[in-house]
Amino acid sequence: MRVQEFNALHFISFSEEQKERLREYFELRKERGEPSRFQILRRLVKTKAYTRSVYPPDWKVA
């Protein structure tokens, strides 16, 4: 990531579709309540098979 990407002038606001999806998400969260830490961790573990780590060429993995 470049330092310029953190500049406020490069900020892109949400589109209307993204804002609507975010509102829907908050509505569902209000109805069902916040998930526990364990539910969040279980969901992350389920995605592990579909993700991979990319290291720089000179990176040494122990």
Side-chain angles (χ1 to χ4, degrees):
M1 228 180 235
R2 292 172 278 159
V3 174
Q4 295 86 357
E5 292 176 0
F6 295 107
N7 189 339
L9 298 175
H10 292 271
F11 177 75
I12 300 171
S13 62
F14 290 126
S15 68
E16 288 303 316
E17 182 183 359
Q18 289 172 322
K19 289 178 186 177
E20 183 60 33
R21 289 185 190 269
L22 196 58
R23 276 188 229 112
E24 290 173 6
Y25 170 76
F26 285 128
E27 285 297 319
L28 281 172
R29 197 112 192 237
K30 194 186 318 179
E31 290 173 10
R32 298 181 183 173
E34 285 193 28
S36 70
R37 284 187 305 149
F38 294 108
Q39 286 176 325
I40 294 170
L41 290 173
R42 270 191 226 114
R43 289 178 188 148
L44 283 174
V45 168
K46 287 180 183 178
T47 63
K48 187 177 179 183
Y50 305 105
T51 59
R52 67 184 182 101
S53 298
V54 179
Y55 298 101
D58 58 345
W59 189 272
K60 293 185 181 175
V61 180

